[in-house]
Amino acid sequence: MKLIRFGEPGNEKPGILLDGKRYDTSAITRDYDETFFTEDGIAKLKAALDQKPSLPEVPAAVRWAAPQVRPSKIICIGLNYADHAKESNMEPPKEPVVFFKSTTALVGPNDDLIIPKNSQKTDWEVELAVIIGKKASYVTEKDAAGYIAGYALHNDYSEREFQLERGGQWVKGKSCDTFAPLGPWIATADEIKDPNSLRLWLSVNGKMMQDGNTSNFIFNVNFIVSYLSQFMTLLPGDIISTGTPAGVGLGQKPNPIYIKPGDVMELGIDGLGTSKQVAKAYQP
């Protein structure tokens, strides 16, 4: 099942994608928030859909929203592909590099990217996002899959000066508004046979910049879920972004390339659809 949300900001509704068409499920389910996942909402929605209810089709022109309501946290894993660590001139980590991304960065998959005020080094990062399905604390690696609700496409936009040159933690360069376009959908866990073997790619203005595979993870999905649960409680609906392969702007040779107004980023992951963001300059 593919969970979607649609509508203008502040007026989004839940839905599903079925045979390439979007349908409004707001009459049979609550929105895709923490409570939805806590109360086994996916199973309840499947059961409701088995009754073949009449669902309104969503017009094609209606905005794709982020496929879930703002979660309690967005947790990111840095340097989780050896090739990306190399291009960043950093040693592959012995344990996952963990940082947070503000939930206010979350936007729809095709919403504009707003280059932050005073930014000179805004960069792209295609990533596989894991959506937590139930409360997880001290989970073993072998049991971790049972805590995953599904997967989504995520672009972990980063402002490299804010992140690397301004001191403190990486969160400053990761949390600007529009820096977390998610979706177009959440594919429930049963739809993704092996999250550790998915092609993911990103192009800028039609030029392929990233073309990798999650089989090159340093730390795989189940390990990451287990690892994080040793340090914090993961709540239903939490997002874990699992890192990016080589090809980010920071790593381009001989000189880094950063996003400028008018640039178009397109990205995708096997089974998780594609998204597209157009860069625009910050306007007060």
Side-chain angles (χ1 to χ4, degrees):
M1 191 161 59
K2 295 179 175 67
L3 308 180
I4 60 117
R5 294 174 71 248
F6 62 92
E8 293 308 305
N11 195 36
E12 294 101 333
K13 292 182 179 181
I16 59 166
L17 183 71
L18 185 63
D19 297 328
K21 296 180 179 180
R22 295 183 293 171
Y23 295 93
D24 181 347
T25 59
S26 60
I28 61 172
T29 186
R30 66 176 296 128
D31 209 349
Y32 303 143
D33 57 10
E34 182 179 333
T35 301
F36 170 84
F37 293 106
T38 299
E39 296 180 347
D40 202 15
I42 290 176
K44 291 178 180 177
L45 179 56
K46 285 181 178 177
L49 292 173
D50 285 343
Q51 302 303 311
K52 308 295 184 184
S54 178
L55 300 174
E57 185 175 344
V58 179
V62 173
R63 169 182 175 262
W64 291 77
Q68 69 177 93
V69 180
R70 188 188 301 173
S72 82
K73 49 191 173 289
I74 301 174
I75 312 162
C76 298
I77 306 300
L79 306 175
N80 197 27
Y81 292 74
D83 56 359
H84 177 52
K86 182 178 180 180
E87 73 174 356
S88 301
N89 297 315
M90 297 181 184
E91 289 293 322
K94 294 180 173 58
E95 293 192 34
V97 174
V98 180
F99 59 92
F100 286 92
K101 193 176 189 85
S102 172
T103 59
T104 54
L106 190 65
V107 290
N110 302 317
D111 289 348
D112 291 335
L113 166 70
I114 306 302
I115 299 173
K117 183 179 181 179
N118 300 320
S119 169
Q120 299 297 320
K121 298 181 179 180
T122 294
D123 201 351
W124 57 82
E125 295 190 16
V126 59
E127 305 203 3
L128 171 68
V130 177
I131 315 301
I132 295 298
K134 59 183 180 179
K135 187 176 180 180
S137 182
Y138 300 110
V139 173
T140 65
E141 186 175 351
K142 70 179 180 65
D143 292 335
Y147 291 82
I148 296 172
Y151 304 92
L153 171 65
H154 176 226
N155 197 342
D156 176 26
Y157 282 112
S158 310
E159 211 295 340
R160 301 303 188 185
E161 181 186 6
F162 299 175
Q163 177 191 0
L164 302 172
E165 301 173 31
R166 297 284 296 274
Q169 299 182 347
W170 287 6
V171 65
K172 290 189 298 188
K174 298 285 186 170
S175 296
C176 303
D177 291 349
T178 75
F179 267 28
L182 187 74
W185 58 73
I186 295 171
T188 51
D190 59 298
E191 291 217 352
I192 302 299
K193 182 178 180 181
D194 183 1
N196 301 299
S197 182
L198 298 173
R199 179 181 177 238
L200 66 172
W201 58 270
L202 181 145
S203 68
V204 179
N205 300 328
K207 180 181 179 181
M208 191 68 72
M209 304 301 289
Q210 294 185 274
D211 193 354
N213 196 290
T214 59
S215 61
N216 293 317
F217 277 148
I218 296 173
F219 306 105
N220 68 32
V221 166
N222 286 359
F223 181 88
I224 290 169
V225 171
S226 172
Y227 182 85
L228 291 173
S229 78
Q230 310 306 308
F231 303 102
M232 67 191 80
T233 296
L234 304 174
L235 295 178
D238 280 356
I239 297 170
I240 302 171
S241 201
T242 56
T244 197
V248 300
L250 175 68
Q252 298 303 308
K253 303 293 189 285
N255 298 307
I257 298 172
Y258 296 115
I259 297 168
K260 61 186 182 301
D263 284 349
V264 179
M265 281 60 62
E266 297 180 84
L267 57 152
I269 301 180
D270 290 349
L272 298 176
T274 63
S275 69
K276 176 180 178 180
Q277 297 93 47
V278 178
K280 294 188 176 179
Y282 170 81
Q283 296 292 332

